[in-house]
Amino acid sequence: MDELAGKVAIVTGAAMGIGARITELLVQAGASVVAADIAHDELTKRFGRAGSVRTCRTDVRQRSDCEALAAAAIDLHDRVDILINNAGITRRAPLADTTDELWDNVLQTNLASAFYMARAVVPTMRAQRGGVIVNVASINAIRGNLELTAYGASKGGMAGMTRVMAMELAPDNIRVNALCPGTVDTPMNDEYLADVEDPKAAMEMLVTKHPMGRIATADDVAWAALFLASDRSSFITGVSLPIDGGRHLGR
Ligand code: NAI
């Protein structure tokens, strides 16, 4: 488990859920991680004592924060091998109630951030002649879900951006891929369930949408991220990989 020894990774949204688990697996694999989150207290509670993790207070909606995060990682380690664009939020609303604020918040957090981060690290990856970008998108990049106009736009945009960046950066040995999880058992899903009238029924409904009869764990997604971040996937670029127990197949 030291196949990422000497590699430097940036993970956004690392304080909890999928991002935290990805950070843990990257560390186990030997990488040095610069872990970023707007919830900096949570982040330092989780990783403040881990020798190979540096934490960074970052609001990924802000271009200047993203550029400062990339610069901090490069200053610290002189390189960036892996960028995991994971920070994200969900905001549900029918189209008529989708305000400009909601739209901007979701698009900035989920999509613009990934663009800002990629643009900031690619010159360093190019100079190194290699790197990997993993964009944590969603099943919503592939199929529709009610009341998620902004979220669907952000994740669909991420999949499109992944394909274009993968083509442009392939000659520089920089691979760009996206993960498309179904429902994942994280604080994000807890928040959703806390908000509905009957959480038990809502959970059962979510489970039935996944042909494998369960929702995903953060581990399910993090191991796929580790695979895409490692040389084991050295000829895979531009894909949007469903991690959804078959949900994209049609239910
Ligand atoms: P979560 O809510 O459990 O964790 C998200 C993390 O992102 C938190 O630590 C939060 O503080 C951070 N974050 C939010 N806004 C931020 C900002 N402006 N700047 C910096 N950090 C910020 O969510 P979860 O489930 O771990 O989601 C991670 C990614 O996976 C997201 O992009 C989400 O859209 C995606 N995803 C999640 C699914 C789920 O069912 N949980 C399903 C499919 C995709």
Side-chain angles (χ1 to χ4, degrees):
M1 272 302 280
D2 62 352
E3 63 184 305
L4 297 183
K7 304 272 187 188
V8 175
I10 298 175
V11 181
T12 66
M16 59 193 94
I18 295 166
R21 195 62 193 126
I22 291 174
T23 301
E24 288 166 359
L25 291 188
L26 289 170
V27 167
Q28 271 179 36
S32 299
V33 181
V34 179
D37 209 291
I38 196 170
H40 194 249
D41 289 351
E42 293 277 342
L43 186 65
T44 51
K45 245 184 253 161
R46 190 146 193 162
F47 293 113
R49 286 162 184 273
S52 41
V53 180
R54 288 297 188 93
T55 63
C56 196
R57 184 193 306 275
T58 305
D59 179 348
V60 296
R61 293 170 296 186
Q62 309 296 329
R63 175 169 45 81
S64 55
D65 275 25
C66 291
E67 289 172 353
L69 170 61
I74 295 160
D75 277 358
L76 199 60
H77 297 289
D78 250 357
R79 58 187 300 116
V80 178
D81 302 283
I82 298 160
L83 167 64
I84 312 278
N85 284 314
N86 165 79
I89 54 170
T90 316
R91 297 288 182 270
R92 284 177 184 269
L95 178 60
D97 298 333
T98 298
T99 60
D100 290 356
E101 288 74 20
L102 186 154
W103 175 267
D104 289 345
N105 196 15
V106 170
L107 270 289
Q108 282 298 118
T109 309
N110 297 1
L111 182 59
S113 64
F115 156 66
Y116 296 148
M117 286 305 305
R119 191 176 56 180
V121 302
V122 157
T124 300
M125 289 181 171
R126 273 202 169 116
Q128 296 163 188
R129 297 289 306 147
V132 178
I133 299 174
V134 178
N135 294 320
V136 182
S138 162
I139 179 98
N140 287 276
I142 299 170
R143 51 176 300 167
N145 259 310
L146 286 173
E147 301 195 332
L148 286 175
T149 297
Y151 189 75
S154 71
K155 297 302 188 178
M158 200 173 220
M161 192 168 80
T162 297
R163 287 189 289 273
V164 176
M165 283 189 191
M167 287 180 78
E168 182 179 329
L169 301 174
D172 297 299
N173 192 33
I174 301 169
R175 297 183 297 108
V176 188
N177 291 295
L179 298 176
C180 296
T183 306
V184 190
D185 183 12
T186 65
M188 178 184 276
N189 195 49
D190 295 343
E191 211 175 285
Y192 162 68
L193 292 173
D195 220 36
V196 296
E197 226 169 77
D198 185 346
K200 194 163 173 277
M203 184 62 176
E204 277 165 16
M205 172 72 87
L206 287 174
V207 167
T208 60
K209 285 183 177 178
H210 298 75
M212 290 189 78
R214 65 172 177 88
I215 64 169
T217 63
D219 246 36
D220 290 324
V221 184
W223 279 108
L226 193 71
F227 169 66
L228 290 177
S230 78
D231 289 345
R232 291 181 192 260
S233 60
S234 59
F235 209 48
I236 300 177
T237 196
V239 303
S240 289
L241 178 68
I243 304 169
D244 64 354
R247 183 168 170 186
H248 68 283
L249 298 170
R251 251 184 242 191

